[in-house]
Amino acid sequence: MLGLDEYLDGLRTAAARMIADATEPPRPDRSDYEDWDDNPPSEVTDWNAISPTAPEWSVRQVVAHQGMVHRWSTGVITGRIPMSAGPEVTDLIEAEGMNTPDPGGWLQRGAEALEWVLRGTDEDADLPFFLKNAGKPRDAWARRQAHETTIHWIDVYAARLGSAPDSSELDIPAAFAADGVDELLRGFLPRSKSGMRTARDVVVAVHATDTGDTWTMHFGANPPQVTTEATGDADSTWHGTAVQLYAGLWNRGDQITQDGLDVLSVWRERAAVAW
């Protein structure tokens, strides 16, 4: 895991980028605008535009969802909201985000409140949390929200671009991306609710070519098992830079290289994270 300051920096950066990409002009083909520098298009991103990387959501829905998660997390950390709170709580918060006249400002206020609460929480505070291999709860919450916000920033960015971004456009530190892969593979994937099951036992090796991080995933009829140990006996090997793996494994990109058995197509169908 990284440190608290690195997670809070990731949270702050992703929230700012989400707001910017939801409110700045969309990126057309520059050839369509011969006088771009003097007369850029004045319209902002359509809040109802559908994100190519989250096709069930519009930009407004992504922002409202993210702002809700920030507020829900803040409530859980402070004890004002039980972690088991159902849609009667979360839907109400999300509706506030959907109906606000200033979605960007609403998102910013929630992100700032969450950062403030995390900074003021003791490192060893006894907090509820829901993922495996998460470390101390305070830092686990900071980690979760940093990656949650970064992944949904990619959704808003993709809406602005009109397509999923190339990993080279994301400007995400490799160490941060590798940490997000680790949270996904060792935190989310082994949960009992994980849909990533296979008809026969399959071993997949994942390797980040720039950071050197390695994970080995064991799939079958039971919840997946994941270790950080290398294996020389994988049915399928996935590799790419840490950012390529980060975007690709969260199903926000398609730049993972696969050798051996095609398990990646199964991942695309079954490995969606259920919040």
Side-chain angles (χ1 to χ4, degrees), residues 217-265:
M217 304 185 290
H218 297 263
F219 299 122
N222 297 316
Q225 299 297 311
V226 184
T227 72
T228 55
E229 298 174 359
T231 178
D233 191 26
D235 299 291
S236 181
T237 300
W238 304 348
H239 47 91
T241 66
V243 175
Q244 288 172 337
L245 293 174
Y246 185 57
L249 292 173
W250 279 102
N251 293 324
R252 264 68 179 187
D254 191 22
Q255 293 181 286
I256 296 175
T257 300
Q258 175 176 232
D259 297 322
L261 187 68
D262 179 17
V263 187
L264 192 55
S265 62

Side-chain angles (χ1 to χ4, degrees), residues 17-171:
R17 288 175 171 175
M18 186 183 294
I19 293 165
D21 284 316
T23 56
E24 290 180 2
R27 292 187 177 183
D29 183 340
R30 287 183 65 96
S31 64
D32 293 339
Y33 292 88
E34 295 180 359
D35 59 344
W36 171 277
D37 292 331
D38 295 326
N39 297 290
S42 59
E43 70 270 19
V44 298
T45 298
D46 181 1
W47 285 101
N48 295 319
I50 300 301
S51 171
T53 54
E56 71 280 13
W57 278 345
S58 67
V59 170
R60 184 180 292 275
Q61 287 173 309
V62 173
V63 171
H65 169 79
Q66 187 59 72
M68 177 275 292
V69 173
H70 289 161
R71 287 163 170 80
W72 170 78
S73 301
T74 299
V76 173
I77 294 166
T78 58
R80 292 185 293 103
I81 298 176
M83 195 167 68
S84 59
E88 69 279 0
V89 173
T90 57
D91 285 0
L92 188 64
I93 301 172
E94 197 159 320
E96 178 183 287
M98 288 294 293
N99 294 317
T100 179
D102 180 19
W106 184 81
L107 178 68
Q108 184 67 41
R109 290 189 294 277
E112 289 175 349
L114 175 60
E115 179 179 354
W116 184 84
V117 164
L118 284 166
R119 285 199 182 279
T121 300
D122 187 79
E123 179 182 4
D124 296 314
D126 184 15
L127 302 171
F129 196 63
F130 59 99
L131 294 181
K132 299 176 181 292
N133 303 300
K136 294 182 177 180
R138 182 204 64 177
D139 292 353
W141 276 109
R143 181 194 209 193
R144 175 80 293 273
Q145 293 311 303
H147 292 302
E148 168 90 6
T149 311
T150 300
I151 291 300
H152 286 312
W153 158 61
I154 294 174
D155 293 330
V156 173
Y157 186 41
R160 184 175 177 224
L161 294 175
S163 63
D166 185 278
S167 64
S168 63
E169 298 179 89
L170 295 177
D171 190 24

Side-chain angles (χ1 to χ4, degrees), residues 184 191 193-196 249-251 266-275:
L184 173 61
R191 294 191 303 171
K193 66 171 63 176
S194 171
M196 187 58 197
L249 292 173
W250 279 102
N251 293 324
V266 181
W267 178 278
R268 297 281 182 241
E269 294 176 1
R270 303 179 185 175
V273 169
W275 124 272

